[in-house]
Amino acid sequence: MITVRRDTGIVGSAMKLDVYINDIKVARLGNGQMQTFELPSDQAELRVGFSYVKSNPVTIQDGQTAIAKGSIAGSFFWIFGLKSSYIVIED
């Protein structure tokens, strides 16, 4: 089981953040929300994103907590390849 917490601050605060496990959308989180998920195995690929702009994937292990963060620069310059969201893993 993993926990994903959204802490994006002002970035995308009017939008829900999509959570993907192994490229399957499993949830939409508002800012400050947290949710736990069962993994299909001991590890999985985790991504988050707004609309069609997703974070880079990270590998998450069973028992870890992921914090979805936001990038103000990425919000304005996503067209140039910057990401508006990213993931920090806590053990």
Coordinates of all heavy atoms in Angstrom, one line a residue:
M1 N 0.8 -1.2 0.0 CA 0.0 0.0 0.0 C 0.9 1.2 0.0 O 1.9 1.3 0.7 CB -0.9 0.0 1.2 CG -1.9 1.1 1.3 SD -3.0 1.0 2.7 CE -3.9 -0.5 2.3
I2 N 0.5 2.2 -0.8 CA 1.3 3.5 -0.8 C 0.3 4.6 -0.5 O -0.9 4.5 -0.6 CB 1.9 3.8 -2.2 CG1 0.8 4.0 -3.3 CG2 2.9 2.7 -2.6 CD1 1.3 4.6 -4.6
T3 N 0.9 5.8 -0.1 CA 0.1 7.0 0.2 C 0.5 8.1 -0.8 O 1.8 8.2 -0.9 CB 0.2 7.4 1.6 OG1 -0.2 6.4 2.5 CG2 -0.6 8.7 1.9
V4 N -0.4 8.8 -1.4 CA -0.1 9.9 -2.2 C -0.7 11.1 -1.6 O -1.9 11.1 -1.3 CB -0.6 9.7 -3.7 CG1 -0.2 10.9 -4.5 CG2 0.1 8.5 -4.3
R5 N 0.1 12.2 -1.4 CA -0.5 13.4 -0.8 C -0.2 14.6 -1.8 O 0.9 14.7 -2.3 CB 0.2 13.7 0.5 CG -0.3 15.0 1.2 CD 0.2 15.2 2.6 NE 1.6 15.0 2.8 CZ 2.5 15.9 2.9 NH1 2.2 17.2 2.7 NH2 3.7 15.6 3.1
R6 N -1.1 15.4 -2.0 CA -1.0 16.5 -2.9 C -0.6 17.8 -2.1 O -1.3 18.1 -1.2 CB -2.2 16.8 -3.7 CG -2.0 18.1 -4.6 CD -3.3 18.4 -5.4 NE -3.1 19.7 -6.1 CZ -4.0 20.2 -6.8 NH1 -5.1 19.6 -7.1 NH2 -3.8 21.4 -7.4
D7 N 0.5 18.4 -2.5 CA 1.0 19.6 -1.8 C 1.6 20.5 -2.9 O 2.8 20.8 -2.9 CB 2.0 19.2 -0.7 CG 2.5 20.5 0.0 OD1 1.8 21.5 0.0 OD2 3.6 20.4 0.7
T8 N 0.7 21.0 -3.8 CA 1.2 21.8 -4.9 C 1.0 23.2 -4.7 O 1.4 24.0 -5.6 CB 0.4 21.4 -6.2 OG1 -1.0 21.5 -5.9 CG2 0.7 20.0 -6.6
G9 N 0.6 23.6 -3.5 CA 0.4 25.1 -3.2 C -0.5 25.7 -4.2 O -1.6 25.2 -4.5
I10 N -0.1 26.9 -4.7 CA -1.0 27.6 -5.6 C -1.0 27.0 -7.0 O -2.0 27.3 -7.8 CB -0.5 29.1 -5.7 CG1 -1.5 30.0 -6.3 CG2 0.8 29.2 -6.4 CD1 -1.3 31.5 -6.2
V11 N -0.1 26.2 -7.4 CA 0.0 25.6 -8.7 C -1.2 24.7 -9.0 O -1.4 23.7 -8.3 CB 1.3 24.8 -8.9 CG1 1.3 24.1 -10.3 CG2 2.5 25.7 -8.8
G12 N -2.0 25.1 -9.9 CA -3.2 24.3 -10.3 C -4.2 24.2 -9.2 O -5.0 23.2 -9.2
S13 N -4.3 25.1 -8.3 CA -5.2 25.0 -7.1 C -6.6 24.9 -7.5 O -7.4 24.4 -6.7 CB -4.9 26.1 -6.1 OG -5.1 27.3 -6.7
A14 N -7.0 25.4 -8.7 CA -8.4 25.3 -9.1 C -8.7 24.0 -9.8 O -9.9 23.7 -10.1 CB -8.7 26.5 -10.0
M15 N -7.7 23.2 -10.0 CA -7.9 21.9 -10.7 C -7.6 20.7 -9.8 O -6.8 20.8 -8.9 CB -7.0 21.9 -12.0 CG -7.2 23.0 -13.0 SD -5.9 23.0 -14.2 CE -6.1 21.4 -15.0
K16 N -8.2 19.6 -10.2 CA -7.8 18.3 -9.5 C -6.6 17.8 -10.1 O -6.3 18.0 -11.3 CB -8.9 17.3 -9.7 CG -10.3 17.7 -9.0 CD -10.2 17.5 -7.5 CE -11.6 17.7 -6.9 NZ -11.6 17.5 -5.5
L17 N -5.7 17.1 -9.3 CA -4.5 16.5 -9.8 C -4.8 15.0 -10.1 O -5.3 14.3 -9.2 CB -3.4 16.7 -8.8 CG -2.1 16.1 -9.1 CD1 -1.4 17.0 -10.2 CD2 -1.2 16.0 -7.9
D18 N -4.5 14.6 -11.3 CA -4.7 13.1 -11.6 C -3.5 12.3 -11.1 O -2.4 12.7 -11.2 CB -4.8 12.9 -13.1 CG -6.0 13.7 -13.7 OD1 -7.1 13.7 -13.0 OD2 -5.9 14.1 -14.9
V19 N -3.8 11.1 -10.5 CA -2.8 10.2 -10.0 C -2.9 9.0 -10.9 O -4.0 8.4 -11.1 CB -3.1 9.8 -8.6 CG1 -2.1 8.8 -8.1 CG2 -3.1 11.1 -7.7
Y20 N -1.7 8.5 -11.4 CA -1.6 7.4 -12.3 C -0.7 6.3 -11.6 O 0.4 6.7 -11.2 CB -1.0 7.7 -13.6 CG -1.8 8.8 -14.4 CD1 -1.7 10.1 -14.2 CD2 -2.8 8.4 -15.4 CE1 -2.4 11.1 -14.9 CE2 -3.5 9.3 -16.1 CZ -3.3 10.6 -15.8 OH -4.0 11.6 -16.5
I21 N -1.1 5.1 -11.6 CA -0.3 4.0 -11.2 C -0.2 3.1 -12.4 O -1.2 2.6 -12.9 CB -0.8 3.2 -10.0 CG1 -0.9 4.2 -8.7 CG2 0.0 2.0 -9.7 CD1 -1.5 3.6 -7.5
N22 N 1.1 2.8 -12.8 CA 1.3 2.1 -14.1 C 0.5 2.6 -15.2 O -0.1 1.8 -16.0 CB 1.1 0.6 -13.8 CG 2.1 0.0 -12.8 OD1 3.2 0.5 -12.7 ND2 1.7 -1.0 -12.1
D23 N 0.4 3.9 -15.4 CA -0.3 4.6 -16.5 C -1.8 4.4 -16.5 O -2.5 4.7 -17.5 CB 0.3 4.2 -17.8 CG 1.6 5.0 -18.1 OD1 1.7 6.2 -17.6 OD2 2.4 4.5 -18.8
I24 N -2.4 4.0 -15.3 CA -3.8 3.9 -15.2 C -4.3 5.0 -14.2 O -3.7 5.0 -13.0 CB -4.3 2.5 -14.7 CG1 -3.8 1.4 -15.7 CG2 -5.8 2.4 -14.4 CD1 -4.0 0.0 -15.2
K25 N -5.2 5.8 -14.6 CA -5.7 6.9 -13.7 C -6.5 6.2 -12.5 O -7.4 5.5 -12.8 CB -6.5 7.9 -14.4 CG -6.9 9.1 -13.5 CD -7.3 10.3 -14.2 CE -8.6 10.2 -14.9 NZ -9.1 11.5 -15.4
V26 N -6.0 6.5 -11.3 CA -6.6 5.9 -10.1 C -7.3 6.9 -9.2 O -8.1 6.4 -8.3 CB -5.6 5.0 -9.3 CG1 -5.1 3.8 -10.2 CG2 -4.5 5.9 -8.9
A27 N -7.0 8.2 -9.4 CA -7.7 9.1 -8.5 C -7.5 10.5 -9.0 O -6.7 10.8 -9.9 CB -7.0 9.0 -7.1
R28 N -8.2 11.5 -8.4 CA -8.1 12.9 -8.7 C -8.1 13.6 -7.3 O -9.0 13.4 -6.5 CB -9.3 13.4 -9.5 CG -9.3 12.7 -10.9 CD -10.3 13.4 -11.8 NE -9.6 14.5 -12.3 CZ -10.2 15.6 -12.8 NH1 -11.5 15.7 -12.9 NH2 -9.5 16.6 -13.3
L29 N -7.0 14.3 -7.0 CA -6.8 14.9 -5.7 C -6.9 16.4 -5.7 O -6.3 17.0 -6.6 CB -5.5 14.5 -5.1 CG -5.2 13.0 -4.9 CD1 -3.8 12.8 -4.3 CD2 -6.2 12.4 -3.9
G30 N -7.6 17.0 -4.7 CA -7.6 18.4 -4.5 C -6.3 18.7 -3.7 O -5.7 17.8 -3.1
N31 N -6.0 20.0 -3.6 CA -4.8 20.4 -2.9 C -5.0 20.0 -1.4 O -6.0 20.3 -0.8 CB -4.5 21.9 -3.0 CG -3.0 22.2 -2.8 OD1 -2.2 21.3 -2.8 ND2 -2.7 23.4 -2.5
G32 N -3.9 19.4 -0.8 CA -4.0 19.0 0.6 C -4.6 17.7 0.8 O -4.5 17.1 1.9
Q33 N -5.2 17.1 -0.2 CA -5.8 15.7 0.0 C -4.8 14.6 -0.1 O -3.7 14.8 -0.7 CB -6.9 15.5 -1.1 CG -8.1 16.3 -0.9 CD -9.2 15.9 -2.0 OE1 -8.9 15.7 -3.1 NE2 -10.4 15.8 -1.5
M34 N -5.1 13.5 0.6 CA -4.3 12.4 0.7 C -5.1 11.1 0.4 O -6.3 11.1 0.8 CB -3.6 12.3 2.0 CG -2.6 11.2 2.2 SD -1.8 11.2 3.8 CE -2.3 12.6 4.7
Q35 N -4.5 10.1 -0.2 CA -5.2 8.9 -0.5 C -4.2 7.7 -0.5 O -3.1 7.9 -0.9 CB -6.0 9.0 -1.8 CG -7.0 7.9 -2.0 CD -7.9 8.2 -3.2 OE1 -8.1 9.3 -3.6 NE2 -8.6 7.1 -3.6
T36 N -4.7 6.6 -0.1 CA -3.8 5.4 -0.1 C -4.3 4.4 -1.2 O -5.5 4.4 -1.6 CB -3.9 4.6 1.3 OG1 -5.2 4.3 1.6 CG2 -3.3 5.5 2.4
F37 N -3.4 3.7 -1.7 CA -3.6 2.8 -2.9 C -2.9 1.5 -2.7 O -1.8 1.4 -2.2 CB -3.1 3.4 -4.2 CG -3.7 4.7 -4.5 CD1 -3.0 5.9 -4.1 CD2 -4.9 4.9 -5.1 CE1 -3.5 7.1 -4.4 CE2 -5.4 6.1 -5.4 CZ -4.7 7.3 -5.0
E38 N -3.6 0.4 -3.1 CA -2.9 -0.9 -3.1 C -2.1 -1.0 -4.4 O -2.6 -0.6 -5.5 CB -4.0 -2.0 -3.1 CG -4.7 -2.2 -1.8 CD -3.9 -2.8 -0.7 OE1 -2.9 -3.5 -1.0 OE2 -4.2 -2.5 0.5
L39 N -0.9 -1.5 -4.3 CA -0.1 -1.7 -5.5 C -0.3 -3.1 -6.1 O -0.6 -4.1 -5.3 CB 1.4 -1.5 -5.2 CG 1.8 -0.1 -4.8 CD1 3.3 -0.1 -4.6 CD2 1.5 0.9 -5.9
P40 N -0.2 -3.3 -7.4 CA -0.4 -4.6 -8.0 C 0.8 -5.5 -7.7 O 0.6 -6.8 -7.8 CB -0.5 -4.3 -9.5 CG 0.2 -3.0 -9.7 CD 0.0 -2.2 -8.4
S41 N 1.9 -5.0 -7.2 CA 3.1 -5.8 -6.8 C 3.8 -5.0 -5.8 O 3.3 -4.0 -5.3 CB 3.9 -6.1 -8.1 OG 4.4 -4.9 -8.7
D42 N 5.1 -5.3 -5.5 CA 5.9 -4.6 -4.5 C 6.3 -3.2 -4.9 O 6.7 -2.4 -4.1 CB 7.1 -5.4 -4.2 CG 6.8 -6.7 -3.4 OD1 5.7 -6.8 -2.8 OD2 7.6 -7.6 -3.4
Q43 N 6.3 -3.0 -6.2 CA 6.6 -1.6 -6.7 C 5.8 -1.3 -8.0 O 5.2 -2.2 -8.6 CB 8.1 -1.5 -7.0 CG 8.6 -2.3 -8.2 CD 10.1 -2.2 -8.5 OE1 10.8 -1.8 -7.6 NE2 10.5 -2.4 -9.7
A44 N 5.7 0.0 -8.3 CA 4.9 0.4 -9.4 C 5.5 1.7 -9.9 O 6.3 2.4 -9.2 CB 3.4 0.6 -9.1
E45 N 5.0 2.1 -11.1 CA 5.4 3.4 -11.7 C 4.3 4.4 -11.3 O 3.1 4.2 -11.5 CB 5.5 3.3 -13.2 CG 6.0 4.6 -13.8 CD 6.2 4.4 -15.3 OE1 5.2 4.7 -16.0 OE2 7.3 4.1 -15.7
L46 N 4.7 5.5 -10.7 CA 3.7 6.6 -10.3 C 3.9 7.8 -11.1 O 5.1 8.2 -11.3 CB 3.9 6.8 -8.8 CG 3.0 7.9 -8.2 CD1 1.6 7.5 -8.1 CD2 3.5 8.2 -6.8
R47 N 2.8 8.4 -11.5 CA 2.9 9.7 -12.2 C 1.7 10.6 -11.7 O 0.7 10.0 -11.2 CB 2.7 9.6 -13.7 CG 3.9 8.9 -14.4 CD 3.6 8.7 -15.8 NE 4.1 9.9 -16.5 CZ 4.6 10.0 -17.7 NH1 4.6 8.9 -18.4 NH2 5.0 11.1 -18.2
V48 N 1.8 11.9 -11.8 CA 0.7 12.8 -11.4 C 0.7 13.8 -12.6 O 1.6 14.0 -13.3 CB 0.9 13.5 -10.1 CG1 0.9 12.5 -8.9 CG2 2.2 14.3 -10.0
G49 N -0.5 14.5 -12.7 CA -0.5 15.5 -13.7 C -1.9 16.2 -13.8 O -2.9 15.8 -13.2
F50 N -1.8 17.3 -14.4 CA -3.0 18.1 -14.7 C -3.3 17.9 -16.2 O -2.5 18.2 -17.1 CB -2.7 19.6 -14.5 CG -2.3 20.0 -13.1 CD1 -1.0 20.2 -12.7 CD2 -3.3 20.0 -12.1 CE1 -0.7 20.5 -11.4 CE2 -3.0 20.3 -10.8 CZ -1.7 20.6 -10.4
S51 N -4.6 17.5 -16.5 CA -5.0 17.4 -17.8 C -4.1 16.4 -18.6 O -3.9 15.3 -18.1 CB -5.1 18.7 -18.5 OG -5.7 18.6 -19.8
Y52 N -3.5 16.8 -19.6 CA -2.6 15.9 -20.4 C -1.1 16.1 -20.1 O -0.3 15.4 -20.7 CB -2.9 16.0 -21.9 CG -2.7 17.4 -22.4 CD1 -1.4 17.8 -22.9 CD2 -3.7 18.3 -22.4 CE1 -1.2 19.1 -23.3 CE2 -3.5 19.6 -22.9 CZ -2.3 20.0 -23.3 OH -2.1 21.3 -23.8
V53 N -0.8 17.0 -19.2 CA 0.6 17.2 -18.8 C 0.9 16.5 -17.6 O 0.5 16.8 -16.5 CB 0.9 18.8 -18.6 CG1 2.3 19.0 -18.3 CG2 0.5 19.5 -19.9
K54 N 1.7 15.4 -17.7 CA 2.0 14.5 -16.6 C 3.5 14.7 -16.1 O 4.3 15.2 -16.9 CB 1.9 13.1 -17.0 CG 0.5 12.6 -17.4 CD 0.5 11.2 -17.7 CE -0.8 10.8 -18.3 NZ -0.8 9.4 -18.8
S55 N 3.7 14.4 -14.9 CA 5.1 14.4 -14.3 C 5.9 13.3 -14.9 O 5.4 12.4 -15.6 CB 5.0 14.2 -12.8 OG 4.6 12.9 -12.5
N56 N 7.2 13.4 -14.7 CA 8.0 12.2 -15.1 C 7.7 11.1 -14.2 O 7.3 11.3 -13.0 CB 9.5 12.6 -14.9 CG 10.0 13.6 -15.9 OD1 9.5 13.6 -17.1 ND2 10.9 14.5 -15.5
P57 N 7.8 9.8 -14.6 CA 7.4 8.7 -13.8 C 8.5 8.5 -12.7 O 9.7 8.7 -12.9 CB 7.4 7.5 -14.8 CG 8.3 7.9 -15.9 CD 8.2 9.4 -16.0
V58 N 8.1 8.0 -11.6 CA 9.0 7.5 -10.5 C 8.5 6.1 -10.1 O 7.4 5.8 -10.2 CB 9.0 8.5 -9.3 CG1 9.4 9.9 -9.6 CG2 7.6 8.5 -8.6
T59 N 9.5 5.4 -9.6 CA 9.2 4.0 -9.1 C 9.0 4.2 -7.6 O 9.8 4.7 -6.9 CB 10.4 3.1 -9.4 OG1 10.6 3.0 -10.8 CG2 10.1 1.7 -8.8
I60 N 7.8 3.6 -7.2 CA 7.5 3.7 -5.8 C 7.4 2.3 -5.2 O 6.9 1.4 -5.9 CB 6.2 4.5 -5.6 CG1 6.0 4.8 -4.1 CG2 5.0 3.9 -6.2 CD1 5.0 5.9 -3.8
Q61 N 7.8 2.1 -4.0 CA 7.8 0.8 -3.4 C 6.7 0.7 -2.4 O 6.2 1.7 -1.8 CB 9.1 0.6 -2.6 CG 10.4 0.8 -3.4 CD 10.7 -0.4 -4.3 OE1 10.3 -1.5 -4.0 NE2 11.3 -0.1 -5.4
D62 N 6.2 -0.5 -2.2 CA 5.1 -0.7 -1.2 C 5.5 -0.1 0.1 O 6.7 -0.3 0.6 CB 4.9 -2.2 -1.1 CG 3.6 -2.5 -0.3 OD1 2.6 -1.7 -0.5 OD2 3.5 -3.5 0.4
G63 N 4.6 0.6 0.8 CA 4.9 1.2 2.1 C 5.4 2.7 2.0 O 5.5 3.3 3.1
Q64 N 5.8 3.2 0.9 CA 6.3 4.5 0.8 C 5.1 5.6 0.6 O 4.0 5.2 0.3 CB 7.2 4.7 -0.4 CG 8.5 3.9 -0.3 CD 9.5 4.2 -1.4 OE1 9.1 4.0 -2.6 NE2 10.7 4.5 -1.1
T65 N 5.5 6.8 0.9 CA 4.6 7.9 0.7 C 5.1 8.8 -0.4 O 6.3 9.1 -0.4 CB 4.5 8.7 2.0 OG1 3.9 7.9 3.0 CG2 3.6 10.0 1.8
A66 N 4.3 9.3 -1.3 CA 4.7 10.2 -2.4 C 4.0 11.5 -2.1 O 2.8 11.6 -1.8 CB 4.2 9.6 -3.7
I67 N 4.7 12.6 -2.3 CA 4.2 13.9 -2.2 C 4.2 14.5 -3.6 O 5.3 14.7 -4.2 CB 4.9 14.8 -1.2 CG1 4.9 14.1 0.2 CG2 4.3 16.2 -1.1 CD1 5.8 14.7 1.2
A68 N 3.1 14.9 -4.1 CA 3.0 15.6 -5.4 C 3.2 17.1 -5.2 O 2.4 17.7 -4.4 CB 1.6 15.3 -6.0
K69 N 4.2 17.6 -5.8 CA 4.5 19.0 -5.7 C 4.2 19.8 -7.0 O 4.0 19.1 -8.0 CB 6.0 19.2 -5.4 CG 6.5 18.6 -4.0 CD 6.0 19.5 -2.9 CE 6.7 19.1 -1.6 NZ 6.5 20.1 -0.6
G70 N 4.2 21.1 -6.9 CA 4.0 21.9 -8.1 C 5.1 22.8 -8.4 O 5.8 23.2 -7.6
S71 N 5.2 23.1 -9.7 CA 6.2 24.1 -10.2 C 5.5 25.2 -10.9 O 4.9 25.1 -11.9 CB 7.2 23.4 -11.2 OG 7.9 24.3 -11.9
I72 N 5.7 26.4 -10.4 CA 5.1 27.6 -11.0 C 5.7 27.8 -12.4 O 5.0 28.1 -13.3 CB 5.3 28.9 -10.1 CG1 4.5 28.7 -8.8 CG2 4.9 30.1 -10.8 CD1 4.7 29.8 -7.8
A73 N 7.0 27.7 -12.5 CA 7.6 27.9 -13.9 C 7.1 26.9 -14.9 O 6.8 27.2 -16.0 CB 9.1 27.7 -13.8
G74 N 6.9 25.6 -14.4 CA 6.4 24.6 -15.3 C 4.9 24.9 -15.7 O 4.5 24.6 -16.8
S75 N 4.2 25.5 -14.8 CA 2.8 25.9 -15.2 C 2.7 26.9 -16.3 O 1.8 26.8 -17.1 CB 2.1 26.5 -13.9 OG 2.0 25.6 -12.9
F76 N 3.7 27.8 -16.4 CA 3.7 28.8 -17.4 C 4.4 28.3 -18.7 O 4.1 28.8 -19.8 CB 4.3 30.1 -16.9 CG 3.4 30.8 -15.9 CD1 3.8 30.8 -14.6 CD2 2.2 31.4 -16.3 CE1 3.1 31.4 -13.6 CE2 1.5 32.0 -15.3 CZ 1.9 32.0 -14.0
F77 N 5.4 27.4 -18.5 CA 6.3 27.1 -19.7 C 6.2 25.6 -20.0 O 7.1 25.1 -20.6 CB 7.7 27.5 -19.4 CG 7.9 29.0 -19.1 CD1 8.2 29.4 -17.9 CD2 7.7 29.9 -20.2 CE1 8.3 30.8 -17.6 CE2 7.9 31.2 -20.0 CZ 8.2 31.7 -18.7
W78 N 5.1 24.9 -19.7 CA 4.9 23.5 -20.1 C 5.1 23.2 -21.5 O 5.5 22.2 -21.9 CB 3.6 23.0 -19.6 CG 2.4 23.6 -20.2 CD1 1.7 24.7 -19.7 CD2 1.8 23.3 -21.4 NE1 0.7 25.1 -20.5 CE2 0.7 24.2 -21.6 CE3 2.0 22.3 -22.4 CZ2 -0.1 24.2 -22.7 CZ3 1.1 22.2 -23.5 CH2 0.1 23.1 -23.6
I79 N 4.8 24.2 -22.4 CA 4.9 24.0 -23.8 C 6.3 23.8 -24.2 O 6.6 23.2 -25.3 CB 4.2 25.2 -24.6 CG1 4.0 24.8 -26.0 CG2 5.1 26.5 -24.5 CD1 3.0 25.7 -26.7
F80 N 7.3 24.3 -23.4 CA 8.7 24.1 -23.7 C 9.3 22.8 -23.0 O 10.5 22.6 -23.0 CB 9.5 25.3 -23.2 CG 9.1 26.6 -24.0 CD1 8.4 27.6 -23.3 CD2 9.3 26.7 -25.3 CE1 8.0 28.7 -23.9 CE2 8.9 27.9 -26.0 CZ 8.3 28.9 -25.3
G81 N 8.4 22.0 -22.5 CA 8.8 20.8 -21.9 C 9.0 20.8 -20.4 O 9.4 19.8 -19.8
L82 N 8.8 21.9 -19.7 CA 8.9 22.0 -18.2 C 7.6 21.3 -17.7 O 6.6 21.4 -18.2 CB 9.0 23.4 -17.7 CG 10.3 24.1 -18.0 CD1 10.2 25.6 -17.5 CD2 11.5 23.4 -17.4
K83 N 7.8 20.6 -16.6 CA 6.7 19.9 -15.9 C 6.0 20.8 -14.9 O 6.7 21.5 -14.1 CB 7.1 18.6 -15.3 CG 7.8 17.7 -16.2 CD 6.8 17.1 -17.2 CE 7.5 16.1 -18.1 NZ 6.6 15.5 -19.1
S84 N 4.7 20.8 -14.8 CA 4.0 21.6 -13.8 C 3.9 20.9 -12.5 O 3.5 21.5 -11.5 CB 2.6 22.0 -14.3 OG 1.9 20.9 -14.6
S85 N 4.2 19.6 -12.5 CA 4.1 18.8 -11.2 C 5.3 17.8 -11.2 O 5.8 17.4 -12.2 CB 2.8 18.1 -11.1 OG 2.5 17.3 -12.2
Y86 N 5.6 17.5 -10.0 CA 6.7 16.4 -9.8 C 6.4 15.7 -8.5 O 5.6 16.1 -7.7 CB 8.1 17.1 -9.8 CG 8.3 18.1 -8.8 CD1 9.0 17.7 -7.6 CD2 7.9 19.4 -8.9 CE1 9.2 18.7 -6.6 CE2 8.2 20.4 -7.9 CZ 8.8 20.0 -6.8 OH 9.1 20.9 -5.8
I87 N 7.1 14.6 -8.3 CA 6.9 13.7 -7.1 C 8.1 13.6 -6.3 O 9.2 13.4 -6.8 CB 6.5 12.3 -7.6 CG1 5.2 12.4 -8.5 CG2 6.2 11.4 -6.4 CD1 4.9 11.2 -9.2
V88 N 7.9 13.7 -5.0 CA 9.0 13.5 -4.0 C 8.6 12.3 -3.2 O 7.4 12.2 -2.7 CB 9.1 14.7 -3.0 CG1 10.1 14.5 -2.0 CG2 9.5 16.0 -3.8
I89 N 9.5 11.3 -3.1 CA 9.2 10.1 -2.3 C 9.8 10.2 -0.9 O 10.9 10.6 -0.7 CB 9.8 8.9 -3.0 CG1 9.3 8.7 -4.4 CG2 9.6 7.6 -2.2 CD1 7.8 8.4 -4.5
E90 N 8.9 9.9 0.1 CA 9.4 9.8 1.5 C 9.3 8.3 1.9 O 8.4 7.6 1.5 CB 8.4 10.6 2.4 CG 8.5 12.1 2.2 CD 7.6 12.8 3.2 OE1 6.7 12.1 3.8 OE2 7.8 14.0 3.5
D91 N 10.3 7.9 2.7 CA 10.3 6.5 3.1 C 9.5 6.3 4.4 O 9.3 7.2 5.1 CB 11.7 6.0 3.3 CG 12.4 5.8 2.0 OD1 11.8 5.3 1.1 OD2 13.6 6.1 1.9

